Amino acid sequence: MSILSIQDQLSLLGVSKENSGTMIGLQSVPGHSKISSYSPVDASLIGSVDTTTNEAYEAVMTAASNAFNTWRTIPAPQRGEVVRQFGERLRSLKAPLGALVSYEMGKSLQEGLGEVQEMIDICDFAVGLSRQLHGLTMHSERPGHRMYEQYHPLGVVGIISAFNFPVAVWAWNAALALVCGDVCVWKPSEKTPLCGVACQKILAEVIEENNMPPGISCLINGDYKVGEFMTADPRMALISATGSIRMGKIVAQTVAARLGKTLLELGGNNAIIVTPDADLKMTLMGAVFGAVGTAGQRCTSTRRLIIHESQYEAVKEALVKAYGQLKIGNPLDTNMHMGPLIDKQAVATYENALKKVVAEGAELLVKGGVLSGDQYSSGCYVKPAIVAAENHYEMVQEETFAPILYLLKYSGPIENAIALQNGVKQGLSSAIMTNNLREAEAFLSAAGSDCGIANVNIGTSGAEIGGAFGGEKETGGGRESGSDAWKVYMRRQTNTINYSTELPLAQGITFDL
């Protein structure tokens, strides 16, 4: 796809060379210094946004707080109707938005389109949810009394998203928050600001068409300092932050200091266990996509392959052969399996990780390296690497956002593999490849995987909208998307109604006057 056609796609989204980085609905708020977005595909300047000032942030928060007073009174099914229209608008703009995701972030076009489909799917889920924001009814111990619980909107929800899923994670939060009656202020990654501008315009147009307050959806941009505006602000009822463990710890401490609420989606160090009873064809597919998809820049990317000694050589040989067939290049070319890393800093991190793990004693089975030549002129293209290592190595214990797959060998029963799987500080996604029912159940048991996601005979990446997404330990403990994750965007209230002519006290207490 040519640069000209990319610009045509951007024009369909209302994205230009210069864009406002602070928006209240469709209204632009003046900012100051620029963030320039260069594509990792070919190093071309796509466009820029201005950053949010203190004054602009205050304007956003005033508008959002005022909008909440109206939005929370709209019946939930009517809020769901607005989200339904947003989903329909995304359907009509799936192609250009998917292309922007691919071009600005660097993931394959198929994955860019898939990310927009996730946005559409969460809108569909949220629309149904808008008629099911239910609480429980409970029997009271007092005669003539009824107890029940209900959920009310929280307020302003601040969303801090990462570059690797520049649109889907925002939509996971925004769609649910909106049907719950909250309003949203979004700070997208400074590495993918134009995706933020495009999505804000799409949603804001729908909100305007429904004659709703523009402050229901707001956009801010900038570096960590703008994020600090949000985390320290008591008007932010909930901070949903996706990013590194280091960033998450800072956010958690700041928000906790004001007793605010957080939803944290942080690092992953995800493993697939390959047992003696594994289907090797399925294992190969799951491992290669998990390790190479999005150039290893998913929080659910497969970092470690824990292989039983009886299968180790066969799996290693098959992986090395498969890696030799991978096509790396322009992600807008659907023949390519892998595109670039997000920027040259990510490339340096990738190179440094390989150097360090080799110094620890690891063996490079597929060496990796930085690609050069005209088609790789951005300097962001690397070859995926396979490394024979040990679980205790420092670099194996850390998450490197790059296509590096560590092969680890285990012997003995499945419990030994599970111990290796759990022997890291992160706890996001995990998987086991086995046709042995006992092994699968042991992996899923309370003594099994300690991750928020545990899969059998599929890889570590590719979560569906219907299930709650998130992880334990230093992954942060947050849950987004499906199941009952909606409850984090609402406040619970317990109600007791006395319909009798007397006032009996709980626990049989008497208080005579």
mmCIF file of all heavy atoms in Angstrom, residues 282-319:
data_model
loop_
_atom_site.group_PDB
_atom_site.id
_atom_site.type_symbol
_atom_site.label_atom_id
_atom_site.label_comp_id
_atom_site.label_asym_id
_atom_site.label_seq_id
_atom_site.Cartn_x
_atom_site.Cartn_y
_atom_site.Cartn_z
ATOM 1 N N MET A 282 -0.093 -28.556 16.584
ATOM 2 C CA MET A 282 -0.779 -27.469 17.295
ATOM 3 C C MET A 282 0.217 -26.653 18.117
ATOM 4 O O MET A 282 0.118 -25.430 18.198
ATOM 5 C CB MET A 282 -1.872 -28.044 18.193
ATOM 6 C CG MET A 282 -3.022 -28.678 17.445
ATOM 7 S SD MET A 282 -4.177 -29.521 18.548
ATOM 8 C CE MET A 282 -4.785 -28.152 19.516
ATOM 9 N N THR A 283 1.170 -27.338 18.712
ATOM 10 C CA THR A 283 2.192 -26.659 19.502
ATOM 11 C C THR A 283 2.974 -25.672 18.653
ATOM 12 O O THR A 283 3.213 -24.522 19.063
ATOM 13 C CB THR A 283 3.155 -27.685 20.118
ATOM 14 O OG1 THR A 283 2.424 -28.537 21.004
ATOM 15 C CG2 THR A 283 4.283 -27.000 20.874
ATOM 16 N N LEU A 284 3.362 -26.108 17.477
ATOM 17 C CA LEU A 284 4.151 -25.263 16.582
ATOM 18 C C LEU A 284 3.368 -24.008 16.202
ATOM 19 O O LEU A 284 3.889 -22.892 16.250
ATOM 20 C CB LEU A 284 4.549 -26.061 15.338
ATOM 21 C CG LEU A 284 5.465 -25.343 14.346
ATOM 22 C CD1 LEU A 284 6.838 -25.107 14.962
ATOM 23 C CD2 LEU A 284 5.597 -26.174 13.056
ATOM 24 N N MET A 285 2.109 -24.189 15.824
ATOM 25 C CA MET A 285 1.290 -23.044 15.421
ATOM 26 C C MET A 285 1.122 -22.057 16.576
ATOM 27 O O MET A 285 1.305 -20.842 16.423
ATOM 28 C CB MET A 285 -0.082 -23.527 14.959
ATOM 29 C CG MET A 285 -1.029 -22.417 14.534
ATOM 30 S SD MET A 285 -0.474 -21.528 13.061
ATOM 31 C CE MET A 285 -0.792 -22.782 11.812
ATOM 32 N N GLY A 286 0.787 -22.575 17.748
ATOM 33 C CA GLY A 286 0.575 -21.702 18.893
ATOM 34 C C GLY A 286 1.832 -20.975 19.317
ATOM 35 O O GLY A 286 1.797 -19.788 19.653
ATOM 36 N N ALA A 287 2.966 -21.687 19.291
ATOM 37 C CA ALA A 287 4.221 -21.080 19.736
ATOM 38 C C ALA A 287 4.717 -20.025 18.765
ATOM 39 O O ALA A 287 5.159 -18.941 19.173
ATOM 40 C CB ALA A 287 5.279 -22.157 19.933
ATOM 41 N N VAL A 288 4.655 -20.300 17.473
ATOM 42 C CA VAL A 288 5.181 -19.358 16.483
ATOM 43 C C VAL A 288 4.336 -18.089 16.451
ATOM 44 O O VAL A 288 4.867 -16.975 16.499
ATOM 45 C CB VAL A 288 5.261 -19.999 15.084
ATOM 46 C CG1 VAL A 288 5.647 -18.960 14.035
ATOM 47 C CG2 VAL A 288 6.276 -21.134 15.080
ATOM 48 N N PHE A 289 3.013 -18.230 16.402
ATOM 49 C CA PHE A 289 2.191 -17.022 16.396
ATOM 50 C C PHE A 289 2.339 -16.270 17.710
ATOM 51 O O PHE A 289 2.437 -15.038 17.732
ATOM 52 C CB PHE A 289 0.710 -17.340 16.160
ATOM 53 C CG PHE A 289 -0.158 -16.114 16.226
ATOM 54 C CD1 PHE A 289 -0.148 -15.185 15.199
ATOM 55 C CD2 PHE A 289 -0.958 -15.870 17.335
ATOM 56 C CE1 PHE A 289 -0.918 -14.030 15.266
ATOM 57 C CE2 PHE A 289 -1.732 -14.721 17.414
ATOM 58 C CZ PHE A 289 -1.713 -13.802 16.381
ATOM 59 N N GLY A 290 2.364 -17.006 18.816
ATOM 60 C CA GLY A 290 2.482 -16.351 20.108
ATOM 61 C C GLY A 290 3.769 -15.564 20.259
ATOM 62 O O GLY A 290 3.792 -14.501 20.873
ATOM 63 N N ALA A 291 4.857 -16.079 19.686
ATOM 64 C CA ALA A 291 6.157 -15.428 19.832
ATOM 65 C C ALA A 291 6.406 -14.351 18.786
ATOM 66 O O ALA A 291 7.087 -13.358 19.060
ATOM 67 C CB ALA A 291 7.267 -16.470 19.766
ATOM 68 N N VAL A 292 5.866 -14.525 17.599
ATOM 69 C CA VAL A 292 6.189 -13.652 16.466
ATOM 70 C C VAL A 292 5.082 -12.647 16.172
ATOM 71 O O VAL A 292 5.342 -11.552 15.666
ATOM 72 C CB VAL A 292 6.507 -14.516 15.221
ATOM 73 C CG1 VAL A 292 6.671 -13.650 13.986
ATOM 74 C CG2 VAL A 292 7.753 -15.344 15.469
ATOM 75 N N GLY A 293 3.824 -12.993 16.484
ATOM 76 C CA GLY A 293 2.720 -12.078 16.232
ATOM 77 C C GLY A 293 2.953 -10.724 16.876
ATOM 78 O O GLY A 293 3.443 -10.641 18.006
ATOM 79 N N THR A 294 2.636 -9.653 16.139
ATOM 80 C CA THR A 294 2.864 -8.275 16.590
ATOM 81 C C THR A 294 4.332 -8.052 16.948
ATOM 82 O O THR A 294 4.674 -7.212 17.783
ATOM 83 C CB THR A 294 1.958 -7.923 17.793
ATOM 84 O OG1 THR A 294 0.691 -8.545 17.630
ATOM 85 C CG2 THR A 294 1.736 -6.418 17.895
ATOM 86 N N ALA A 295 5.226 -8.816 16.306
ATOM 87 C CA ALA A 295 6.675 -8.730 16.537
ATOM 88 C C ALA A 295 7.020 -8.893 18.015
ATOM 89 O O ALA A 295 7.931 -8.259 18.537
ATOM 90 C CB ALA A 295 7.232 -7.414 15.993
ATOM 91 N N GLY A 296 6.260 -9.767 18.689
ATOM 92 C CA GLY A 296 6.526 -10.013 20.099
ATOM 93 C C GLY A 296 6.169 -8.859 21.014
ATOM 94 O O GLY A 296 6.641 -8.787 22.144
ATOM 95 N N GLN A 297 5.301 -7.966 20.559
ATOM 96 C CA GLN A 297 4.969 -6.762 21.324
ATOM 97 C C GLN A 297 3.561 -6.820 21.915
ATOM 98 O O GLN A 297 2.925 -5.793 22.145
ATOM 99 C CB GLN A 297 5.119 -5.519 20.442
ATOM 100 C CG GLN A 297 6.546 -5.278 19.984
ATOM 101 C CD GLN A 297 6.668 -4.137 18.999
ATOM 102 O OE1 GLN A 297 7.274 -3.118 19.263
ATOM 103 N NE2 GLN A 297 6.075 -4.317 17.827
ATOM 104 N N ARG A 298 3.075 -8.033 22.160
ATOM 105 C CA ARG A 298 1.819 -8.199 22.886
ATOM 106 C C ARG A 298 2.123 -8.460 24.360
ATOM 107 O O ARG A 298 3.116 -9.109 24.678
ATOM 108 C CB ARG A 298 1.025 -9.393 22.344
ATOM 109 C CG ARG A 298 0.460 -9.205 20.946
ATOM 110 C CD ARG A 298 -0.329 -10.434 20.544
ATOM 111 N NE ARG A 298 -0.942 -10.279 19.228
ATOM 112 C CZ ARG A 298 -2.194 -10.617 18.934
ATOM 113 N NH1 ARG A 298 -2.957 -11.159 19.865
ATOM 114 N NH2 ARG A 298 -2.664 -10.452 17.722
ATOM 115 N N CYS A 299 1.249 -8.000 25.231
ATOM 116 C CA CYS A 299 1.424 -8.362 26.636
ATOM 117 C C CYS A 299 1.211 -9.856 26.832
ATOM 118 O O CYS A 299 1.694 -10.438 27.807
ATOM 119 C CB CYS A 299 0.480 -7.557 27.523
ATOM 120 S SG CYS A 299 -1.237 -7.590 26.994
ATOM 121 N N THR A 300 0.521 -10.501 25.890
ATOM 122 C CA THR A 300 0.290 -11.943 25.962
ATOM 123 C C THR A 300 1.222 -12.739 25.049
ATOM 124 O O THR A 300 1.015 -13.936 24.848
ATOM 125 C CB THR A 300 -1.166 -12.278 25.594
ATOM 126 O OG1 THR A 300 -1.456 -11.735 24.295
ATOM 127 C CG2 THR A 300 -2.153 -11.732 26.618
ATOM 128 N N SER A 301 2.236 -12.097 24.477
ATOM 129 C CA SER A 301 3.174 -12.813 23.606
ATOM 130 C C SER A 301 3.817 -13.977 24.360
ATOM 131 O O SER A 301 4.068 -13.900 25.568
ATOM 132 C CB SER A 301 4.277 -11.873 23.107
ATOM 133 O OG SER A 301 3.772 -10.941 22.184
ATOM 134 N N THR A 302 4.109 -15.047 23.635
ATOM 135 C CA THR A 302 4.784 -16.197 24.232
ATOM 136 C C THR A 302 6.264 -15.879 24.378
ATOM 137 O O THR A 302 6.960 -15.658 23.386
ATOM 138 C CB THR A 302 4.588 -17.461 23.379
ATOM 139 O OG1 THR A 302 3.182 -17.686 23.190
ATOM 140 C CG2 THR A 302 5.210 -18.674 24.049
ATOM 141 N N ARG A 303 6.740 -15.847 25.610
ATOM 142 C CA ARG A 303 8.149 -15.566 25.900
ATOM 143 C C ARG A 303 8.937 -16.842 26.182
ATOM 144 O O ARG A 303 10.120 -16.922 25.886
ATOM 145 C CB ARG A 303 8.260 -14.653 27.130
ATOM 146 C CG ARG A 303 7.387 -13.412 27.102
ATOM 147 C CD ARG A 303 7.888 -12.385 26.138
ATOM 148 N NE ARG A 303 6.990 -11.240 26.057
ATOM 149 C CZ ARG A 303 6.967 -10.395 25.042
ATOM 150 N NH1 ARG A 303 7.798 -10.562 24.035
ATOM 151 N NH2 ARG A 303 6.125 -9.379 25.018
ATOM 152 N N ARG A 304 8.260 -17.824 26.804
ATOM 153 C CA ARG A 304 8.947 -19.035 27.245
ATOM 154 C C ARG A 304 8.202 -20.271 26.744
ATOM 155 O O ARG A 304 6.965 -20.301 26.767
ATOM 156 C CB ARG A 304 9.020 -19.071 28.778
ATOM 157 C CG ARG A 304 9.792 -17.906 29.392
ATOM 158 C CD ARG A 304 9.707 -17.935 30.918
ATOM 159 N NE ARG A 304 8.349 -17.709 31.378
ATOM 160 C CZ ARG A 304 7.809 -18.295 32.456
ATOM 161 N NH1 ARG A 304 8.513 -19.158 33.166
ATOM 162 N NH2 ARG A 304 6.569 -18.014 32.824
ATOM 163 N N LEU A 305 8.953 -21.255 26.297
ATOM 164 C CA LEU A 305 8.405 -22.551 25.897
ATOM 165 C C LEU A 305 9.037 -23.598 26.808
ATOM 166 O O LEU A 305 10.245 -23.832 26.749
ATOM 167 C CB LEU A 305 8.737 -22.824 24.424
ATOM 168 C CG LEU A 305 7.764 -23.683 23.625
ATOM 169 C CD1 LEU A 305 6.367 -23.092 23.650
ATOM 170 C CD2 LEU A 305 8.244 -23.848 22.190
ATOM 171 N N ILE A 306 8.231 -24.174 27.676
ATOM 172 C CA ILE A 306 8.707 -25.124 28.676
ATOM 173 C C ILE A 306 8.416 -26.529 28.158
ATOM 174 O O ILE A 306 7.260 -26.976 28.165
ATOM 175 C CB ILE A 306 8.032 -24.858 30.033
ATOM 176 C CG1 ILE A 306 8.311 -23.417 30.485
ATOM 177 C CG2 ILE A 306 8.502 -25.857 31.084
ATOM 178 C CD1 ILE A 306 7.495 -22.966 31.692
ATOM 179 N N ILE A 307 9.451 -27.218 27.694
ATOM 180 C CA ILE A 307 9.280 -28.440 26.902
ATOM 181 C C ILE A 307 9.806 -29.650 27.676
ATOM 182 O O ILE A 307 10.922 -29.628 28.198
ATOM 183 C CB ILE A 307 10.034 -28.326 25.565
ATOM 184 C CG1 ILE A 307 9.733 -26.992 24.878
ATOM 185 C CG2 ILE A 307 9.684 -29.488 24.647
ATOM 186 C CD1 ILE A 307 10.676 -26.655 23.742
ATOM 187 N N HIS A 308 9.003 -30.703 27.704
ATOM 188 C CA HIS A 308 9.474 -31.944 28.334
ATOM 189 C C HIS A 308 10.673 -32.484 27.558
ATOM 190 O O HIS A 308 10.728 -32.385 26.321
ATOM 191 C CB HIS A 308 8.361 -32.987 28.382
ATOM 192 C CG HIS A 308 8.704 -34.168 29.228
ATOM 193 N ND1 HIS A 308 9.311 -35.296 28.714
ATOM 194 C CD2 HIS A 308 8.555 -34.384 30.567
ATOM 195 C CE1 HIS A 308 9.502 -36.167 29.689
ATOM 196 N NE2 HIS A 308 9.052 -35.638 30.829
ATOM 197 N N GLU A 309 11.616 -33.037 28.280
ATOM 198 C CA GLU A 309 12.858 -33.501 27.660
ATOM 199 C C GLU A 309 12.626 -34.507 26.531
ATOM 200 O O GLU A 309 13.403 -34.554 25.575
ATOM 201 C CB GLU A 309 13.777 -34.112 28.716
ATOM 202 C CG GLU A 309 13.184 -35.286 29.463
ATOM 203 C CD GLU A 309 14.094 -35.789 30.575
ATOM 204 O OE1 GLU A 309 15.191 -35.219 30.738
ATOM 205 O OE2 GLU A 309 13.700 -36.735 31.281
ATOM 206 N N SER A 310 11.533 -35.261 26.593
ATOM 207 C CA SER A 310 11.248 -36.241 25.544
ATOM 208 C C SER A 310 10.802 -35.595 24.240
ATOM 209 O O SER A 310 10.868 -36.208 23.179
ATOM 210 C CB SER A 310 10.171 -37.223 26.017
ATOM 211 O OG SER A 310 8.931 -36.545 26.235
ATOM 212 N N GLN A 311 10.334 -34.359 24.313
ATOM 213 C CA GLN A 311 9.841 -33.643 23.138
ATOM 214 C C GLN A 311 10.782 -32.525 22.711
ATOM 215 O O GLN A 311 10.598 -31.921 21.657
ATOM 216 C CB GLN A 311 8.460 -33.013 23.447
ATOM 217 C CG GLN A 311 7.346 -34.004 23.736
ATOM 218 C CD GLN A 311 6.697 -34.476 22.443
ATOM 219 O OE1 GLN A 311 7.392 -34.762 21.464
ATOM 220 N NE2 GLN A 311 5.382 -34.550 22.421
ATOM 221 N N TYR A 312 11.783 -32.238 23.516
ATOM 222 C CA TYR A 312 12.593 -31.034 23.334
ATOM 223 C C TYR A 312 13.245 -30.959 21.952
ATOM 224 O O TYR A 312 13.119 -29.943 21.246
ATOM 225 C CB TYR A 312 13.665 -30.955 24.425
ATOM 226 C CG TYR A 312 14.453 -29.668 24.403
ATOM 227 C CD1 TYR A 312 13.987 -28.534 25.047
ATOM 228 C CD2 TYR A 312 15.675 -29.583 23.741
ATOM 229 C CE1 TYR A 312 14.709 -27.343 25.031
ATOM 230 C CE2 TYR A 312 16.409 -28.401 23.715
ATOM 231 C CZ TYR A 312 15.916 -27.288 24.365
ATOM 232 O OH TYR A 312 16.620 -26.123 24.349
ATOM 233 N N GLU A 313 13.929 -31.987 21.530
ATOM 234 C CA GLU A 313 14.641 -31.941 20.258
ATOM 235 C C GLU A 313 13.691 -31.806 19.085
ATOM 236 O O GLU A 313 13.951 -31.057 18.132
ATOM 237 C CB GLU A 313 15.521 -33.184 20.097
ATOM 238 C CG GLU A 313 16.704 -33.231 21.048
ATOM 239 C CD GLU A 313 17.642 -32.046 20.866
ATOM 240 O OE1 GLU A 313 17.812 -31.586 19.725
ATOM 241 O OE2 GLU A 313 18.209 -31.572 21.876
ATOM 242 N N ALA A 314 12.561 -32.503 19.131
ATOM 243 C CA ALA A 314 11.585 -32.435 18.031
ATOM 244 C C ALA A 314 10.985 -31.043 17.928
ATOM 245 O O ALA A 314 10.834 -30.490 16.827
ATOM 246 C CB ALA A 314 10.494 -33.478 18.240
ATOM 247 N N VAL A 315 10.636 -30.461 19.072
ATOM 248 C CA VAL A 315 10.056 -29.117 19.069
ATOM 249 C C VAL A 315 11.089 -28.096 18.606
ATOM 250 O O VAL A 315 10.794 -27.211 17.792
ATOM 251 C CB VAL A 315 9.523 -28.760 20.473
ATOM 252 C CG1 VAL A 315 9.093 -27.293 20.528
ATOM 253 C CG2 VAL A 315 8.345 -29.655 20.840
ATOM 254 N N LYS A 316 12.310 -28.212 19.098
ATOM 255 C CA LYS A 316 13.374 -27.281 18.707
ATOM 256 C C LYS A 316 13.604 -27.331 17.194
ATOM 257 O O LYS A 316 13.670 -26.281 16.527
ATOM 258 C CB LYS A 316 14.662 -27.628 19.452
ATOM 259 C CG LYS A 316 15.836 -26.718 19.103
ATOM 260 C CD LYS A 316 17.080 -27.095 19.891
ATOM 261 C CE LYS A 316 17.718 -28.363 19.358
ATOM 262 N NZ LYS A 316 19.042 -28.633 19.985
ATOM 263 N N GLU A 317 13.699 -28.520 16.658
ATOM 264 C CA GLU A 317 13.951 -28.669 15.218
ATOM 265 C C GLU A 317 12.811 -28.073 14.397
ATOM 266 O O GLU A 317 13.037 -27.376 13.400
ATOM 267 C CB GLU A 317 14.121 -30.153 14.896
ATOM 268 C CG GLU A 317 14.417 -30.438 13.427
ATOM 269 C CD GLU A 317 14.573 -31.922 13.131
ATOM 270 O OE1 GLU A 317 14.834 -32.699 14.075
ATOM 271 O OE2 GLU A 317 14.430 -32.313 11.954
ATOM 272 N N ALA A 318 11.577 -28.338 14.808
ATOM 273 C CA ALA A 318 10.419 -27.822 14.072
ATOM 274 C C ALA A 318 10.360 -26.300 14.136
ATOM 275 O O ALA A 318 10.030 -25.629 13.153
ATOM 276 C CB ALA A 318 9.137 -28.430 14.630
ATOM 277 N N LEU A 319 10.681 -25.733 15.291
ATOM 278 C CA LEU A 319 10.648 -24.274 15.436
ATOM 279 C C LEU A 319 11.710 -23.595 14.581
ATOM 280 O O LEU A 319 11.438 -22.595 13.907
ATOM 281 C CB LEU A 319 10.851 -23.896 16.900
ATOM 282 C CG LEU A 319 9.636 -24.013 17.820
ATOM 283 C CD1 LEU A 319 10.052 -23.815 19.265
ATOM 284 C CD2 LEU A 319 8.562 -23.002 17.443
#
